[in-house]
PDB file of all heavy atoms in Angstrom:
ATOM      1  N   THR A 591     -18.640   5.054   2.077  1.00 75.00           N
ATOM      2  CA  THR A 591     -18.426   4.339   0.822  1.00 75.00           C
ATOM      3  C   THR A 591     -18.076   5.304  -0.302  1.00 75.00           C
ATOM      4  O   THR A 591     -17.193   5.034  -1.129  1.00 75.00           O
ATOM      5  CB  THR A 591     -19.676   3.532   0.437  1.00 75.00           C
ATOM      6  OG1 THR A 591     -20.002   2.632   1.491  1.00 75.00           O
ATOM      7  CG2 THR A 591     -19.445   2.736  -0.835  1.00 75.00           C
ATOM      8  N   GLY A 592     -18.769   6.446  -0.327  1.00 76.00           N
ATOM      9  CA  GLY A 592     -18.468   7.459  -1.342  1.00 76.00           C
ATOM     10  C   GLY A 592     -17.063   8.007  -1.217  1.00 76.00           C
ATOM     11  O   GLY A 592     -16.387   8.257  -2.217  1.00 76.00           O
ATOM     12  N   ILE A 593     -16.590   8.183   0.023  1.00 80.00           N
ATOM     13  CA  ILE A 593     -15.228   8.701   0.245  1.00 80.00           C
ATOM     14  C   ILE A 593     -14.187   7.688  -0.247  1.00 80.00           C
ATOM     15  O   ILE A 593     -13.250   8.036  -0.973  1.00 80.00           O
ATOM     16  CB  ILE A 593     -15.010   9.022   1.728  1.00 80.00           C
ATOM     17  CG1 ILE A 593     -15.863  10.223   2.143  1.00 80.00           C
ATOM     18  CG2 ILE A 593     -13.529   9.307   2.011  1.00 80.00           C
ATOM     19  CD1 ILE A 593     -15.883  10.473   3.637  1.00 80.00           C
ATOM     20  N   VAL A 594     -14.349   6.430   0.155  1.00 81.00           N
ATOM     21  CA  VAL A 594     -13.387   5.402  -0.231  1.00 81.00           C
ATOM     22  C   VAL A 594     -13.382   5.204  -1.745  1.00 81.00           C
ATOM     23  O   VAL A 594     -12.321   5.234  -2.396  1.00 81.00           O
ATOM     24  CB  VAL A 594     -13.697   4.070   0.483  1.00 81.00           C
ATOM     25  CG1 VAL A 594     -12.778   2.958  -0.019  1.00 81.00           C
ATOM     26  CG2 VAL A 594     -13.551   4.227   1.997  1.00 81.00           C
ATOM     27  N   ASP A 595     -14.562   5.017  -2.315  1.00 78.00           N
ATOM     28  CA  ASP A 595     -14.636   4.759  -3.756  1.00 78.00           C
ATOM     29  C   ASP A 595     -14.335   6.013  -4.563  1.00 78.00           C
ATOM     30  O   ASP A 595     -13.773   5.938  -5.665  1.00 78.00           O
ATOM     31  CB  ASP A 595     -16.024   4.220  -4.114  1.00 78.00           C
ATOM     32  CG  ASP A 595     -16.002   3.407  -5.396  1.00 78.00           C
ATOM     33  OD1 ASP A 595     -14.928   2.907  -5.761  1.00 78.00           O
ATOM     34  OD2 ASP A 595     -17.059   3.275  -6.037  1.00 78.00           O
ATOM     35  N   GLY A 596     -14.699   7.179  -4.018  1.00 81.00           N
ATOM     36  CA  GLY A 596     -14.400   8.429  -4.716  1.00 81.00           C
ATOM     37  C   GLY A 596     -12.908   8.687  -4.804  1.00 81.00           C
ATOM     38  O   GLY A 596     -12.387   9.074  -5.857  1.00 81.00           O
ATOM     39  N   THR A 597     -12.206   8.475  -3.690  1.00 85.00           N
ATOM     40  CA  THR A 597     -10.751   8.623  -3.708  1.00 85.00           C
ATOM     41  C   THR A 597     -10.117   7.614  -4.649  1.00 85.00           C
ATOM     42  O   THR A 597      -9.181   7.932  -5.396  1.00 85.00           O
ATOM     43  CB  THR A 597     -10.182   8.434  -2.287  1.00 85.00           C
ATOM     44  OG1 THR A 597     -10.864   9.311  -1.379  1.00 85.00           O
ATOM     45  CG2 THR A 597      -8.698   8.740  -2.251  1.00 85.00           C
ATOM     46  N   GLY A 598     -10.652   6.395  -4.629  1.00 84.00           N
ATOM     47  CA  GLY A 598     -10.156   5.380  -5.546  1.00 84.00           C
ATOM     48  C   GLY A 598     -10.358   5.769  -6.994  1.00 84.00           C
ATOM     49  O   GLY A 598      -9.485   5.538  -7.845  1.00 84.00           O
ATOM     50  N   SER A 599     -11.481   6.383  -7.291  1.00 80.00           N
ATOM     51  CA  SER A 599     -11.780   6.775  -8.670  1.00 80.00           C
ATOM     52  C   SER A 599     -10.902   7.930  -9.137  1.00 80.00           C
ATOM     53  O   SER A 599     -10.599   8.037 -10.328  1.00 80.00           O
ATOM     54  CB  SER A 599     -13.263   7.154  -8.793  1.00 80.00           C
ATOM     55  OG  SER A 599     -14.086   6.033  -8.552  1.00 80.00           O
ATOM     56  N   ILE A 600     -10.500   8.809  -8.210  1.00 85.00           N
ATOM     57  CA  ILE A 600      -9.556   9.875  -8.585  1.00 85.00           C
ATOM     58  C   ILE A 600      -8.234   9.249  -9.024  1.00 85.00           C
ATOM     59  O   ILE A 600      -7.648   9.628 -10.057  1.00 85.00           O
ATOM     60  CB  ILE A 600      -9.340  10.841  -7.409  1.00 85.00           C
ATOM     61  CG1 ILE A 600     -10.613  11.651  -7.143  1.00 85.00           C
ATOM     62  CG2 ILE A 600      -8.170  11.789  -7.705  1.00 85.00           C
ATOM     63  CD1 ILE A 600     -10.527  12.553  -5.923  1.00 85.00           C
ATOM     64  N   GLY A 601      -7.758   8.282  -8.252  1.00 86.00           N
ATOM     65  CA  GLY A 601      -6.538   7.585  -8.641  1.00 86.00           C
ATOM     66  C   GLY A 601      -6.694   6.867  -9.969  1.00 86.00           C
ATOM     67  O   GLY A 601      -5.802   6.911 -10.835  1.00 86.00           O
ATOM     68  N   ALA A 602      -7.843   6.217 -10.156  1.00 82.00           N
ATOM     69  CA  ALA A 602      -8.086   5.503 -11.414  1.00 82.00           C
ATOM     70  C   ALA A 602      -8.172   6.468 -12.584  1.00 82.00           C
ATOM     71  O   ALA A 602      -7.716   6.160 -13.687  1.00 82.00           O
ATOM     72  CB  ALA A 602      -9.373   4.693 -11.300  1.00 82.00           C
ATOM     73  N   ALA A 603      -8.750   7.654 -12.357  1.00 80.00           N
ATOM     74  CA  ALA A 603      -8.875   8.646 -13.428  1.00 80.00           C
ATOM     75  C   ALA A 603      -7.503   9.124 -13.893  1.00 80.00           C
ATOM     76  O   ALA A 603      -7.230   9.198 -15.097  1.00 80.00           O
ATOM     77  CB  ALA A 603      -9.706   9.830 -12.937  1.00 80.00           C
ATOM     78  N   VAL A 604      -6.648   9.449 -12.937  1.00 84.00           N
ATOM     79  CA  VAL A 604      -5.286   9.873 -13.285  1.00 84.00           C
ATOM     80  C   VAL A 604      -4.564   8.739 -13.997  1.00 84.00           C
ATOM     81  O   VAL A 604      -3.845   8.950 -14.992  1.00 84.00           O
ATOM     82  CB  VAL A 604      -4.509  10.292 -12.017  1.00 84.00           C
ATOM     83  CG1 VAL A 604      -3.057  10.598 -12.350  1.00 84.00           C
ATOM     84  CG2 VAL A 604      -5.173  11.503 -11.372  1.00 84.00           C
ATOM     85  N   GLY A 605      -4.795   7.517 -13.527  1.00 83.00           N
ATOM     86  CA  GLY A 605      -4.115   6.368 -14.089  1.00 83.00           C
ATOM     87  C   GLY A 605      -4.441   6.110 -15.540  1.00 83.00           C
ATOM     88  O   GLY A 605      -3.554   5.740 -16.329  1.00 83.00           O
ATOM     89  N   GLN A 606      -5.712   6.303 -15.932  1.00 76.00           N
ATOM     90  CA  GLN A 606      -6.084   5.993 -17.314  1.00 76.00           C
ATOM     91  C   GLN A 606      -5.363   6.896 -18.312  1.00 76.00           C
ATOM     92  O   GLN A 606      -4.970   6.461 -19.391  1.00 76.00           O
ATOM     93  CB  GLN A 606      -7.599   6.097 -17.490  1.00 76.00           C
ATOM     94  CG  GLN A 606      -8.404   5.193 -16.587  1.00 76.00           C
ATOM     95  CD  GLN A 606      -7.748   3.859 -16.336  1.00 76.00           C
ATOM     96  OE1 GLN A 606      -7.539   3.068 -17.255  1.00 76.00           O
ATOM     97  NE2 GLN A 606      -7.388   3.588 -15.086  1.00 76.00           N
TER      98      GLN A 606
END
Side-chain angles (χ1 to χ4, degrees):
T591 303
I593 291 171
V594 175
D595 204 23
T597 307
S599 295
I600 291 175
V604 174
Q606 302 324 297

